[in-house]
Every structure is written in structure tokens, then in C-alpha cells.
Amino acid sequence: MIQHFPVLSVMVLFFSAFLIEIVGKKEILRNVIAFLAVTASLVMLACLIPSVMIDGQVISYWMGGWAPESGYAIGIGYEVDSLSLLFALLGITAYWLSCVYSFGYMKGKQNLGHYYTLFLMLAGASVGFFLTGDIFNMFIMMEIVTFSAVALTAANTDKLTAIEGAFKYLVNCSIGSSMMLAGIALLYMNCHTLNLAQLSAILPGSFNSTTLLAFALILTGFCVESAMIPFHPSFVDAHTVAPSSVSMILSGMVLKLGVYGIIRLSYIIFRVIDTSAIQVMLTLIGTVTMFIGVTMALAQHDFKRLLAFHSVSQLGYIIAAAGLCTTLGLNASLYHAVNHTLFKGLLFLCAGAVIHSTGTSDLDSLGGLSKRMPKTCICFVIGAFSISGLPPFNGFVSKWMIYQAVYEKAMQTGNFFYVVVTVTALVVSVMTLASFVKVLHSVFFGQLRKEHEDVKEVSPIMLIPMGIMSFLCIFTGIFYREFDRVFINSAVTSAFDNIDYVDGMMGDGYSVTYGLAGLTGGNLEFSYWNPYVWLSLFLMVFAAAVLVTLIMGRTTGRTLESGEDYDSAYGTGDLSVDFRGQTHESGDPEEKYAVFFSGEKAEYSHAGGSDLFWGFKYNWHRYYEVLQGLHSGSVNDYSIYAVIMISMLCIFMYIFMR
Amino acid sequence: MLILRYLFYVLIFPGALFTVLVGWLLAGLDRKVIARMQRRIGPPVLQPVYDFFKLVGKENIIPAQANRTAYKMAPFISFVSLSVIMLFIPIFGFTAVNGVADLIVILYLITIPGVALIVGGSSSGSPYGAVGISREMVTMMSYELPFVLALLAVAKKAGGDVLVFNLTDIGEWQVMNGCMAFHWSMIPAALAFLLVIPAEVGTQPFDVAEAETEICEGPLCEYSGAPLAVFKLSTHMKMCVMSALFTALFFGGIRTGYVVTDVILFLAICVLVTLVCITTVHAVTARLRIQHLFKFYWKYVSVLALISLALVWLGA
């Protein structure tokens, strides 16, 4: 029974997608079908955890029973090892949460039948992408993902920017998938098979210039999919304009397709990750990506655009760590991939809640929402601290592993490049914190805007997914050892040792005929602060501090809660504690600043949004001028960058790998 | 028994009480010495203690604009995280909680008080707070780079070909090979670290975030009474934590064999570090502007730390 679960978990999503198109008009039926489909898929994949993750089995399934004939795989096969199951589970969890959130967020929008159809197509294709054992099938799934994502990005058809973003996304992904198709054609020409397991048995022994070009092209395809530099601008544009429930999927989940592809390709199929040229290349791409992503994010003043640039930056961390080819490095990379889906999903959902309540995502025109939307604020704080890597949230665990892995690599190889990577990663982390401080201040703290006085907290159906994600962020941060052992370790093992993967698909002993041997990545030894000790200490001291305040707070003075109290208590009507006076309503910016600097009367200054951190931006203005010029918003420019990058990758391969 | 021991560690030594007392001592000495440098008599050494209890007795006003929870919690988060950091810093031979912390963990824990200050200032809803937190954040970004470079240089020096981030291991290495500060290749890193301390603590000339004369202490602008007292206390504790970290990293090789003499020697070095890098720098400089601060750290201090890192990598 259990070997049917992988294919069923994909089929149920696709089948329900068509079912929804039939009953699309009836809201309740539609929502029930969507929810049941995603839940069924989630449950089926969760049932695979014991046998795949814990026992280390590889589950294979041949479509239509077309098993390999005399060592050649002809039919399409599904193959689930720990690596694919990790990503598939991650994906379906994100889809489940996004689906629940959509019920609240998309309520009342038009064409919801199409929305859920496309949503389930996207979910099915992503899960299929992770579970399939056939490289052409992988390409097909990637195409379905691309086209559903494009259509979902443009779901707000009344917004012109949405259609423009979708178009850019389409062009960019088409470049990537064309490259991938060309690479697959070359592979088929050379190896006469499309099965991943068979390819990974044949390829390491027969490496020639054709397969090298194929590797370069397919790698480019996956780099596009994971929004590496310089393919990122159109993704950012699309993530900004899509509905938030979709942005969360696109940014948190769909980018992971590329990550999975790169890991599967370089660790298992081609096994080229043990050459130092590939390691340096992947780490270099990752490092540049994380740096440019975060510096661009610092300059943004749109909530969702800022988050989208942070996705680019975090993906840089993931790829840089994956390129190290050490057990700890890949462990860190996968852990960060999981964490990124959790906290970035959470942050996009918070952004969605803010947009849903206020109707805007411009940081310059928001403020003080923490009093109106306290639950969203708490979720956002958890997400923001997680992505900035503050202890004890999950981002800290994975980032800490990344630093350790990179610096260890530096020490082992004696290559100063990895030191630069470590420093960049640490500095990027503090910049991440900086830009989330900006969001926290501009959206949730600071002063409440007059027009947002009667903003309401979002409905529970939207808060539930946010709560679950916040919980998971804390859970994976504190119980990291257990989580790492069950989910991540087995995936790392299966990535390093592909003999089981080949034998599981092609029959026992197949790998022996090709003389395959597993990669070695060193031991997984990471010392990490013990969060239990720390947490218990923290709680103890905190309890002590609270006790002290309680005792002292009783005896000293009163706590005045508002300006009115102050006035009535002291009768000094002129001295207003309330900053939000009359002057700013005139809307004259000069007057606003004049009042602010002179400090008289009722002050009003937002001093948030794009105003924050000008001391930093002032020093970097030349860098920002260049970056601003490069992020022109024109898809023509973006395509040119893509072509340049593809040529560079191919040239790199031919120089260093032959 | 274990619980009692942990309670002792956390609450008394080397946790909250010890950090607070040392912080007061350092702050008092700082004020006294700076006054002598400026030919003033200066306040008594116990002035920070008097100030603390005076502030605790004052009325506590929460502005109408503020987010009350975040506003009230922020100072205590700052206080708690600072007393927890002290547990992880080895005092020569003595470590309260062994094997659970290292350089990167310390690096991150030290950012928490800064974040708490930012959250507090931001949640007060004051425009001065807004300006203050933006400067605080830029200050944080400025000193992070030299800080990281100096820490990595120390790690490489102590580790050689293996990864050593653990503070206890770094201390042991110094016992075997002499203190870090006595290795000539580490002197630039030590200098860079000394220059990071005043920015981390927020004293002149790097007190742009709390500039009293222009933005009324920025994030602390709206604070009054006990929360203000706790924030002020955190600043003093930060002096203690930073100088202790410096001592552990660069003078960690000293062992007298007795805990008491170890602690006294440790304190003496902490006082010396504070007087050199906080008091003297404060006495002879005027406040920088935020963009100059950023430039100073990324251009000069980082280069100092980078020289050390490069020297260590070249095998010096």
C-alpha cells in the first residue's frame, strides 16, 4: 500500500484541481475539496516518514508497471528517498497553510474557482517535482509550476503591475526551462536514458564535454528557479504583486525547487560536487546573492518587495552552504531551507494580514498597527527575529551551522575565500536584522496613522496558519536536535550516498556494475549551545526580574497610561504627551519637519519607512546608484543578464572542469 | 543541589548580581576618572548606584502612543540577556556553564540588548525614538564587521587547522601559548576590539544613538522611572560584559590557581580596559555624526582587524 502513496499524493492534488474547475461556482464545496485534497496529500506524505526517514528505505514506483528492461529504464518512475521526502513534506505543509489562509484572504475576490484550480495544480506539480525519478518528468513539473505561478501572480487582474510582474516571471522562467530542456536533450543523446537513478549510475563514470555542457545548462535552469544572481529581479517583481497567500508559496516554496534541483543534480546525478571548482562556484554564487539580496532589501519601502529581496538573500545562504560538500554544510543548508519556508511564509502571511486590513503595503504610509493588530504583530516579531537569526528562534540554529560549516571549510582547505564567505554571511545577518527593524518600526510600532484608526485584526482563519508557523519557528529553534536527527540527517545521508538511490530504482546490485561509491563529507559534528540550558536560565532570570518589578512597582509612583490622565492629574493642559496633534493633518511636509526639529507644539514625524538608515545609505550611495540602475524593471535587461550568466557558467565549466 | 548551583550562578555569580555590581563599579570609575581628566572633582564612585535607586523611586509614565507590552518588556529583556551572557564568558579558569557557548553565540547574544533598546525606542512612538533607533541600528551594522573580523582572527589563531569557536578552548590555548594580546599578529585585532567596545556600550564619541543634546537620548526619550533605571543599568552591565569578553579573548591565559585571585585579577584587567577604551576616548573626543561613524568602522577599524586576520592566515 505504502508504495502507492507518493503517486497518489500528487494525483489527488491534480484530480481535485479539475474537480474544482467543475464545481467552481459553489464556494463551500470548492473550499472543502481544496482543503481535503491538500490534507490528504499531507497525510499520505506524512505516512512515509517512518519507512523513508527513519528506516532509510527508498520507495520506488513505476507508472503502469513499466519496470526496467535489461538494465534500461523506459517508463516513468517515482522515487522517494529522504531528500525528496523532506522537500515534499516541506512543500505540502506550506501549501496546506497557504490554503487555509486563502479561505480568509481571498474571500470575496473574483474568479476564485480558477484560483483554487491553479493553486492545486501548483501544489501537485511541486510535490511531483520532488518525488519524481525522471528528469524529463521533472522538467514537465517545473513547467506546470511556472505556468500556474504566472497565472496566480496575475490573479488580481485589475492591477496592471500584477500582469507586468507575471509577464516578467514568465519570461525569466522560460529562459530557465529552455536551458534545462536543452540540457536534458544533450543528456538523452549521450546516455540514452532519462531516469535519474540510471543517469546517476552512468554519468560519474562517463564524463565528457557533452555531459559537461548538459550539466552547465541544467544547473542554469535550477539557478533561475532558485532566483540566484542575476536571475532574481523578475522573481522579486512577481512576488511583490502576487496575492500574499501566493507570494508566500512562490517565495517560500517554489524557490526551493531550484535548491532541490541543484542538490540533486550536483550531489547525486553528476556527483561533481567533490571538485573544488564547483564548490567555489556554487558558494560564490550564493555569497554574492545573499549580499546583493540584503542590500537591495535595505533600500526597499514596500513591505512585500522587501520580503522578496530577503528571500533572494536567504536562498543565497542555502546555496552557499550546499556548495561546501561537507556533511555539516549540507545539513545547515537543508535546515536553513526548511527554516526559510517557515519564517518567510510567516512573514508573507503577516504582510498579507496588514494589506488585508489596511489596503496598503507601503512602509511609508503605515505605522502603529501593533495596538490594532496585536496578534499579527507578535507573529511578525517571531518571524522577523527568526530570519535575523536571533536566539532562540530557528534561524539562529541554521545560520549558526552555516557559519561553522563555512569556517571549518576555510580551515580545512586553507582557502581564504571561505573566510570572506563567513564574514559576508555574518554581516548580511546583521543587515537582515536592520531591515526587519525597519519594518517592525514602520508598520507595527511608531505612530498610528489617522486613516488607520479603525483598523481591525484579521479573522481567525488567517491567524491560525500564522500561529502554526510561529509555533514551528520556535519549535525548530529549540528542539533542533530532535528535528535534525529525524528529518535533516537522513536527507543528508541520502544525498551523500547514492547507492541506495540507484539500487532502489534499478534493482539490487545495479550500482556495483558501474562501480559507484558514496561521497564522503566528513562527520557531522557540530557543537551548539544547549538551548534547554539557555532557555531555563533565561526563564529563571526573567522570573526574578518580573518579581523585582512587581515588588518595586507597587511602592513607587503611579503609571500614567495616557496624555489625558497626565493633563487631568497635573492640570497642565498646554503640555501634551500625545504627539499626534493637529499640525500634520495639513499634509505639508515642510511644516512637518520644521515642527519636528524645533520640537515645539505637537510633534509629528514618522521617521520610518525609507527614511530609516540614511546614515548607512549615505555611505553606500554609489553602490546603490549602480544597483538601482541594474534593477531597471525592464524584462529585456533581465533577459540579457540571464544570457550573460549562462555564457559565464558554460565558460567556467569548460575552463575548470575539463 | 544542581538547581541551587544554577540559581547561584544565574542570580549571584557570575550572573545578574555580579554583572550589576561590576557594571556599577566600572561606570562609577569611568565618571570619576573622566572628571579628573577634565580637572573636575567628579561624582562619588557610587553615583551610578544612587542614580539607579533614585530613578526607581520616580514616577513611571507610559505615553499614550506606546505599545505598552513591548515598551515595558524591552528593558527587562535587555537586563536578562546581559546577565545570561556573563554566564558563558570564562573568568580565567572558571566557567559557570561549560561547553554550550562559543564566539558566534556570544556575538548574537550581544545583539539582543541592542535589539531590546531598539524595540523599546520604537514602541514608545516618539519621533526622537525613531531617529534614535535608526542611528542605533546603523551603529550596530558599523561595528559588526570589525567585531566579526576580530573574532574570526582569534578563532583562527587558537584553532590552526581545526575549527575552534569555543571560548573555553580559546582560554586553554592561551594557557599553553601565552595570551593572545602578547602575540604580535593579534595586536591589530585587539585594538579593533577595543574600538568596538565604546560603540557597543554607546559612549562618546559613538553615542550618536543616544545623543542627549540633539535627540534627547533617542530611544530612551520617553522612558522614565524604573524602566529607565533598568535601561541605564543595562548600559553599565554592557561595559562589564564587553570588557570581560575582551579579557577572556585576549588575556585569557592567566591562571593563579585560586578562584578569588583569578576574579580580582580579572576585574583589574576589566577596569583597565574600560579606562583605556571608554574613559580616555570619551575624554578626548567629541561626538561623531552617524555617517562618519559608519565610515570610521568600515574603513579604519575593519582594516585593523583584517590585518590581524590576514597575518594569522599567513601563519604569523
Side-chain angles (χ1 to χ4, degrees):
Chain A
M1 185 60 205
I2 202 161
Q3 73 268 29
H4 296 289
F5 279 1
V7 72
L8 280 178
S9 68
V10 178
M11 269 172 58
V12 68
L13 293 169
F14 279 131
F15 183 72
S16 317
F18 293 109
L19 206 61
I20 282 180
E21 195 56 25
I22 295 169
V23 300
K25 293 280 187 285
K26 300 184 182 66
E27 190 190 340
I28 294 173
L29 192 60
R30 184 180 67 209
N31 289 1
V32 166
I33 292 175
F35 182 76
L36 284 181
V38 185
T39 313
S41 185
L42 177 65
V43 169
M44 277 192 271
L45 286 175
C47 287
L48 295 177
I49 292 176
S51 50
V52 174
M53 293 260 183
I54 294 166
D55 299 345
Q57 288 177 18
V58 176
I59 293 176
S60 59
Y61 181 90
W62 292 98
M63 297 272 186
W66 283 44
E69 286 285 331
S70 59
Y72 261 86
I74 299 159
I76 296 172
Y78 268 43
E79 174 155 34
V80 187
D81 65 347
S82 305
L83 184 66
S84 10
L85 186 61
L86 174 73
F87 277 93
L89 268 174
L90 184 65
I92 200 68
T93 314
Y95 283 109
W96 191 85
L97 292 165
S98 175
C99 182
V100 175
Y101 187 82
S102 298
F103 296 148
Y105 185 76
M106 297 301 286
K107 202 173 166 66
K109 299 261 168 66
Q110 283 186 334
N111 291 331
L112 275 188
H114 301 320
Y115 173 84
Y116 284 107
T117 305
L118 289 163
F119 184 86
L120 290 179
M121 294 275 279
L122 186 64
S126 312
V127 177
F129 180 89
F130 295 135
L131 298 184
T132 187
D134 184 285
I135 196 162
F136 192 74
N137 202 232
M138 229 169 168
F139 166 75
I140 298 286
M141 292 300 182
M142 209 166 102
E143 288 287 270
I144 300 175
V145 167
T146 303
F147 283 94
S148 342
V150 166
L152 282 171
T153 304
N156 296 331
T157 39
D158 49 336
K159 274 207 286 188
L160 275 179
T161 49
I163 294 167
E164 191 190 332
F167 178 70
K168 287 180 196 167
Y169 190 95
L170 176 63
V171 171
N172 209 25
C173 283
S174 303
I175 293 174
S177 43
S178 326
M179 289 304 129
M180 199 178 155
L181 186 60
I184 292 171
L186 287 175
L187 270 190
Y188 191 58
M189 186 183 88
N190 212 53
C191 306
H192 315 293
T193 182
L194 291 169
N195 187 280
L196 287 179
Q198 198 181 351
L199 280 175
S200 61
I202 297 173
L203 275 173
S206 65
F207 216 63
N208 54 36
S209 43
T210 317
T211 50
L212 193 63
L213 182 61
F215 175 69
L217 292 174
I218 302 178
L219 184 72
T220 315
F222 288 135
C223 276
V224 172
E225 200 68 15
S226 60
M228 290 291 110
I229 298 290
F231 308 112
H232 68 286
S234 39
F235 284 94
V236 172
D237 293 350
H239 298 172
T240 311
V241 292
S244 291
S245 50
V246 176
S247 302
M248 171 231 173
I249 289 296
L250 292 186
S251 206
M253 192 53 235
V254 172
L255 295 182
K256 299 288 153 44
L257 262 62
V259 174
Y260 171 78
I262 288 174
I263 292 174
R264 179 65 83 197
L265 191 71
S266 49
Y267 276 82
I268 293 179
I269 304 176
F270 283 85
R271 333 212 84 200
V272 286
I273 194 70
D274 54 348
T275 50
S276 65
I278 295 290
Q279 292 171 9
V280 170
M281 185 196 73
L282 279 180
T283 314
L284 181 67
I285 293 178
T287 313
V288 175
T289 306
M290 70 170 102
F291 188 74
I292 291 187
V294 82
T295 43
M296 280 306 287
L298 271 173
Q300 301 306 320
H301 57 92
D302 183 279
F303 199 164
K304 284 175 73 179
R305 196 169 165 78
L306 184 142
L307 292 181
F309 269 113
H310 274 296
S311 277
V312 173
S313 172
Q314 301 302 314
L315 263 285
Y317 272 101
I318 297 169
I319 297 297
L324 295 175
C325 189
T326 58
T327 315
L328 181 57
L330 189 60
N331 195 74
S333 169
L334 293 178
Y335 208 122
H336 202 64
V338 172
N339 289 349
H340 175 253
T341 300
L342 295 177
F343 54 60
K344 188 45 65 67
L346 174 60
L347 290 168
F348 265 112
L349 296 190
C350 291
V354 169
I355 294 169
H356 192 74
S357 294
T358 63
T360 177
S361 63
D362 184 11
L363 296 180
D364 289 330
S365 54
L366 287 164
L369 287 180
S370 66
K371 298 186 99 172
R372 296 286 178 274
M373 305 169 73
K375 289 178 187 127
T376 308
C377 178
I378 290 169
C379 290
F380 178 82
V381 168
I382 291 172
F385 285 177
S386 298
I387 193 172
S388 325
L390 288 185
F393 298 103
N394 61 3
F396 179 67
V397 181
S398 47
K399 278 190 183 175
W400 194 86
M401 284 184 201
I402 290 173
Y403 307 141
Q404 200 174 11
V406 179
Y407 209 57
E408 195 180 50
K409 185 82 181 175
M411 298 239 181
Q412 280 170 2
T413 57
N415 195 341
F416 199 75
F417 166 70
Y418 291 109
V419 181
V420 178
V421 176
T422 320
V423 175
T424 315
L426 280 159
V427 171
V428 165
S429 183
V430 78
M431 289 181 178
T432 310
L433 176 66
S435 66
F436 279 97
V437 161
K438 175 169 112 178
V439 179
L440 187 64
H441 176 72
S442 315
V443 177
F444 292 103
F445 293 150
Q447 296 175 32
L448 189 65
R449 294 259 159 171
K450 201 97 185 159
E451 62 267 29
H452 298 144
E453 291 268 87
D454 48 356
V455 161
K456 293 270 187 315
E457 180 67 282
V458 290
S459 60
I461 193 111
M462 288 164 75
L463 284 172
I464 289 169
M466 285 153 67
I468 294 175
M469 284 201 147
S470 314
F471 169 76
L472 286 175
C473 279
I474 297 172
F475 180 83
T476 50
I478 291 175
F479 299 98
Y480 75 97
R481 261 182 218 284
E482 289 73 11
F483 187 79
D484 193 77
R485 198 178 58 233
V486 175
F487 289 96
I488 313 285
N489 262 344
S490 49
V492 173
T493 315
S494 64
F496 272 102
D497 186 11
N498 67 350
I499 292 170
D500 281 348
Y501 187 76
V502 174
D503 287 352
M505 200 70 175
M506 304 300 296
D508 283 340
Y510 191 81
S511 58
V512 178
T513 54
Y514 288 92
L516 276 188
L519 287 171
T520 48
N523 295 327
L524 179 71
E525 278 177 15
F526 59 98
S527 67
Y528 172 62
W529 67 316
N530 190 337
Y532 312 118
V533 172
W534 193 82
L535 201 74
S536 52
L537 294 178
F538 194 93
L539 287 177
M540 275 153 67
V541 181
F542 193 72
V546 169
L547 206 68
V548 170
T549 27
L550 280 180
I551 296 165
M552 291 198 308
R554 292 288 165 215
T555 54
T556 60
R558 296 165 302 147
T559 300
L560 292 181
E561 304 294 355
S562 69
E564 286 76 25
D565 284 353
Y566 192 92
D567 290 347
S568 58
Y570 290 90
T572 49
D574 295 334
L575 181 70
S576 174
V577 183
D578 191 354
F579 304 111
R580 198 169 24 77
Q582 300 301 312
T583 34
H584 73 281
E585 281 173 48
S586 61
D588 185 349
E590 282 180 6
E591 191 182 355
K592 161 183 151 187
Y593 283 105
V595 168
F596 162 55
F597 280 116
S598 59
E600 300 295 324
K601 289 196 284 183
E603 300 120 331
Y604 181 84
S605 167
H606 190 60
S610 43
D611 286 350
L612 232 53
F613 309 140
W614 69 272
F616 170 78
K617 276 194 264 172
Y618 174 85
N619 278 292
W620 286 46
H621 65 274
R622 283 181 207 287
Y623 172 80
Y624 274 118
E625 276 161 20
V626 173
L627 272 197
Q628 217 160 23
L630 289 177
H631 291 81
S632 58
S634 157
V635 74
N636 299 359
D637 290 353
Y638 298 163
S639 309
I640 291 170
Y641 306 153
V643 172
I644 292 172
M645 184 66 185
I646 293 159
S647 344
M648 273 165 60
L649 271 179
C650 294
I651 292 167
F652 179 90
M653 296 284 175
Y654 273 88
I655 292 174
F656 289 102
M657 294 289 295
R658 287 207 53 170
Chain B
M1 202 52 217
L2 193 71
I3 294 171
L4 274 181
R5 209 171 76 193
Y6 268 112
L7 266 179
F8 178 76
Y9 284 156
V10 171
L11 296 178
I12 299 172
F13 177 83
L17 190 67
F18 177 72
T19 320
V20 167
L21 291 179
V22 176
W24 275 335
L25 174 73
L26 293 178
L29 281 174
D30 172 47
R31 289 182 69 174
K32 189 75 186 171
V33 173
I34 201 163
R36 299 310 297 161
M37 283 177 178
Q38 295 168 343
R39 306 259 171 115
R40 291 185 283 119
I41 296 172
V45 176
L46 289 182
Q47 190 60 41
V49 187
Y50 303 150
D51 283 352
F52 176 79
F53 285 105
K54 178 201 73 181
L55 276 175
V56 167
K58 295 278 178 192
E59 201 168 22
N60 176 16
I61 297 172
I62 298 173
Q65 279 289 306
N67 178 311
R68 291 180 51 202
T69 328
Y71 183 86
K72 281 196 277 191
M73 291 281 271
F76 292 101
I77 297 284
S78 174
F79 171 81
V80 168
S81 59
L82 278 165
S83 30
V84 169
I85 299 170
M86 246 344 240
L87 299 179
F88 298 137
I89 299 176
I91 300 175
F92 296 149
F94 173 81
T95 322
V97 182
N98 201 7
V100 291
D102 62 18
L103 292 178
I104 306 288
V105 176
I106 296 272
L107 182 74
Y108 271 88
L109 286 178
I110 282 178
T111 56
I112 292 184
V115 173
L117 183 65
I118 287 169
V119 168
S122 177
S123 65
S124 73
S126 155
Y128 295 114
V131 178
I133 65 153
S134 97
R135 292 181 178 189
E136 175 71 29
M137 200 61 237
V138 175
T139 314
M140 244 159 113
M141 282 197 272
S142 318
Y143 67 68
E144 194 77 4
L145 180 64
F147 198 26
V148 163
L149 289 170
L151 291 183
L152 289 183
V154 170
K156 174 67 183 171
K157 184 79 184 171
D161 293 341
V162 252
L163 183 81
V164 170
F165 273 171
N166 194 313
L167 277 169
T168 316
D169 292 350
I170 290 170
E172 290 307 313
W173 183 88
Q174 295 184 56
V175 172
M176 307 275 278
N177 301 291
C179 293
M180 283 284 173
F182 304 146
H183 290 262
W184 64 274
S185 59
M186 294 306 293
I187 291 173
L191 282 177
F193 200 106
L194 280 179
L195 284 168
V196 166
I197 295 177
E200 173 80 55
V201 178
T203 54
Q204 249 178 8
F206 309 115
D207 62 339
V208 275
E210 278 125 47
E212 294 91 345
T213 41
E214 27 176 328
I215 51 169
C216 319
E217 295 205 87
L220 301 181
C221 179
E222 293 301 324
Y223 274 97
S224 55
L228 180 63
V230 177
F231 258 138
K232 290 276 180 195
L233 182 65
S234 306
T235 314
H236 302 154
M237 287 164 81
K238 247 188 223 168
M239 279 187 187
C240 167
V241 166
M242 287 307 287
S243 52
L245 183 59
F246 179 83
T247 314
L249 285 180
F250 291 97
F251 290 97
I254 300 169
R255 293 283 186 281
T256 56
Y258 303 100
V259 174
V260 180
T261 42
D262 269 354
V263 171
I264 291 170
L265 205 60
F266 191 82
L267 279 182
I269 297 178
C270 283
V271 170
L272 205 65
V273 168
T274 313
L275 292 186
V276 168
C277 72
I278 294 183
T279 314
T280 318
V281 174
H282 183 177
V284 298
T285 53
R287 185 183 308 129
L288 288 173
R289 265 161 57 189
I290 185 70
Q291 68 267 43
H292 298 154
L293 185 145
F294 186 83
K295 205 172 179 177
F296 175 74
Y297 276 101
W298 278 56
K299 235 183 185 170
Y300 305 110
V301 186
S302 298
V303 167
L304 268 182
L306 196 61
I307 288 172
S308 250
L309 187 60
L311 282 174
V312 173
W313 271 84
L314 293 173

